[in-house]
Amino acid sequence: MNEVELLDGLLRIYSPSQNEEEAVGYLVAQMQEAGFDAFRDDAGNATGILGHGSREFVLLSHIDTVAGFIEVRREGDRLHGRGAVDAKGPLCAFIGAAARAGYREGWKIIVIGAVEEEYPTSKGAHFAGTQYKPDFCIIGEPGGWDCLTMGYRGSLLFDYTLRKMTSHSAALIQPPCEEAVTFWQRLKRYTLDVNSDKSRHFDQLQPVLLEMRSEADGFQEGAMLRINVRLPLQTDIQKLKDKVKKLADGADISFLAETASFRADKNNDLVRAFLSAIRSSGGSPRFKLKTGTSDMNILGPIWNCPIVTYGPGDSRLDHTSSESIDLHDFKRSIAILTEVLEKLTQ
């Protein structure tokens, strides 16, 4: 299998969340050609399995991307394209490593290209969580070929909506747009108070204003905000919901999605295998905690097995127009993943 050609082909198929069908079909066909028992599962994930053993090793990365197609092109050792790092690069590295490791007696090596990770539903990961009980799991996200990501903050996504009867702009009545701004300011002040004794970004409560809209038809006017709050470890999500409603002062709050934060354990055979493999490839292993979320947040608590997030690519390029991957690092990550798989399934 030529892993660079595999990635190049996958990048050429535009697959924003909820439009992954063509990319899934391509990946299933490529895995079948490489000897996997590959299929589209009931959630729409591209799944490939090597082996028939009772023990399971799951490698899951997402096949969907954010919107915005980037022309696929190669400049020296850099391959440009939407999803090159987030997260088709890690996904193709998983497939390449599993194919190199081959059949392992007593094991199933399961590679999953999950759908809707970039969407609030995380449909692919939730479904996978009901289908497998792995002994080990690797989640594919960019962090660098020599780095392990061990935790992510959680998130709470909600809409604020306020509608009122239209009044004259000179009236002493605060219009919905002003009230929405006031709510946002209250929320920011609250989070600043919560964060006052926390120096690390990972430990802070962080509200992000994603969208703001207004409407008026001559009789009614309204204001809408969509807000995502990033949650540190041990956040009481219900308590935060109650606080948001109180701060909204009568406006409608619609909670759309919630994900608890998660931090994995370092003291296990999976982490030790990665540390050894990274060192044998000339690297100095590093650990990261990320301030976003990933499918690790969902699957870590469900599977309760040794789990890490790993993948080639610079995460600072996530969701940007400059998304590209260093192919030398891509290939190094495949070698590291192969060594990890072989060591843990021998």
Side-chain angles (χ1 to χ4, degrees), residues 215-234:
E215 61 182 19
D217 61 8
F219 300 98
Q220 268 199 337
E221 53 188 311
M224 289 74 68
L225 307 177
R226 176 159 291 182
I227 296 170
N228 187 16
V229 184
R230 296 295 185 177
L231 314 176
L233 292 170
Q234 299 178 334

Side-chain angles (χ1 to χ4, degrees), residues 50-93:
L50 286 174
H52 306 283
S54 59
R55 304 188 71 185
E56 297 178 342
F57 199 134
V58 172
L59 301 96
L60 181 146
S61 188
H62 62 93
I63 197 168
D64 66 317
T65 69
V66 295
F69 182 74
I70 297 172
E71 180 186 358
V72 179
R73 67 188 190 280
R74 185 165 174 178
E75 296 177 347
D77 280 333
R78 293 205 74 84
L79 181 61
H80 295 253
R82 175 64 76 211
V85 294
D86 189 20
K88 293 179 177 181
L91 176 56
C92 290

Side-chain angles (χ1 to χ4, degrees), residues 72-326:
V72 179
R73 67 188 190 280
R74 185 165 174 178
E75 296 177 347
D77 280 333
R78 293 205 74 84
L79 181 61
H80 295 253
R82 175 64 76 211
V85 294
D86 189 20
K88 293 179 177 181
L91 176 56
C92 290
F94 284 179
I95 294 169
R100 291 187 190 188
Y103 287 83
R104 314 295 294 176
E105 185 175 352
W107 287 85
K108 289 179 185 174
I109 297 178
I110 303 160
V111 180
I112 302 170
V115 298
E116 296 187 20
E117 192 274 346
E118 299 285 7
Y119 200 71
T121 56
S122 295
K123 179 181 177 182
H126 280 293
F127 181 78
T130 68
Q131 302 300 300
Y132 307 103
K133 294 182 178 180
D135 297 83
F136 301 105
C137 176
I138 306 173
I139 301 296
E141 291 284 353
W145 69 273
D146 58 351
C147 183
L148 297 177
T149 298
M150 303 306 297
Y152 288 87
R153 286 193 299 181
S155 70
L156 177 65
L157 181 68
F158 67 90
D159 284 346
Y160 166 102
T161 305
L162 179 64
R163 291 185 175 88
K164 287 184 174 182
M165 298 301 293
T166 300
S167 61
H168 195 283
S169 60
L172 298 178
I173 298 173
Q174 192 176 35
C177 286
E178 285 192 19
E179 288 205 39
V181 171
T182 299
F183 165 73
W184 172 248
Q185 291 171 335
R186 284 195 212 108
L187 182 61
K188 290 284 286 185
R189 282 196 298 271
Y190 168 71
T191 57
L192 285 173
D193 289 342
V194 170
N195 297 334
S196 61
D197 61 345
K198 299 173 178 64
S199 58
R200 288 196 313 174
H201 199 189
F202 183 79
D203 298 324
Q204 295 177 356
L205 199 64
Q206 179 195 7
V208 180
L209 181 56
L210 301 177
E211 296 179 29
M212 55 192 306
R213 293 179 287 120
S214 63
E215 61 182 19
D217 61 8
F219 300 98
Q220 268 199 337
E221 53 188 311
M224 289 74 68
L225 307 177
R226 176 159 291 182
I227 296 170
N228 187 16
V229 184
R230 296 295 185 177
L231 314 176
L233 292 170
Q234 299 178 334
T235 298
D236 185 329
I237 296 180
Q238 186 56 54
K239 184 177 177 180
L240 178 60
K241 286 180 175 180
D242 293 341
K243 184 64 177 181
V244 167
K245 287 181 178 179
K246 185 177 180 180
L247 293 174
D249 194 25
D252 180 68
I253 298 293
S254 178
F255 295 105
L256 306 177
E258 62 185 71
T259 304
S261 55
F262 179 80
R263 185 168 183 171
D265 178 42
K266 292 181 183 178
N267 186 24
N268 56 63
D269 289 341
L270 178 60
V271 172
R272 285 188 282 272
F274 263 108
L275 298 181
S276 174
I278 291 169
R279 290 186 181 113
S280 68
S281 293
S284 297
R286 297 174 293 128
F287 292 103
K288 283 184 180 179
L289 298 172
K290 289 194 175 182
T291 55
T293 57
S294 80
D295 284 335
M296 187 187 208
N297 296 69
I298 295 165
L299 294 172
I302 293 174
W303 286 338
N304 194 29
C305 67
I307 185 170
V308 300
T309 294
Y310 176 78
D314 183 347
S315 59
R316 292 173 297 182
L317 299 177
D318 289 6
H319 302 188
T320 71
S321 60
S322 303
E323 190 170 1
S324 61
I325 192 165
D326 184 302

Side-chain angles (χ1 to χ4, degrees), residues 145 281-283 310 312 327-337:
W145 69 273
S281 293
Y310 176 78
L327 293 175
H328 181 63
D329 290 349
F330 174 67
K331 294 171 184 176
R332 264 203 293 206
S333 73
I334 295 171
I336 289 166
L337 285 161

Side-chain angles (χ1 to χ4, degrees), residues 2-18:
N2 185 315
E3 296 96 354
V4 173
E5 289 182 3
L6 174 70
L7 176 56
D8 184 283
L10 187 57
L11 293 179
R12 293 179 186 278
I13 303 172
Y14 186 47
S15 57
S17 297
Q18 300 191 306

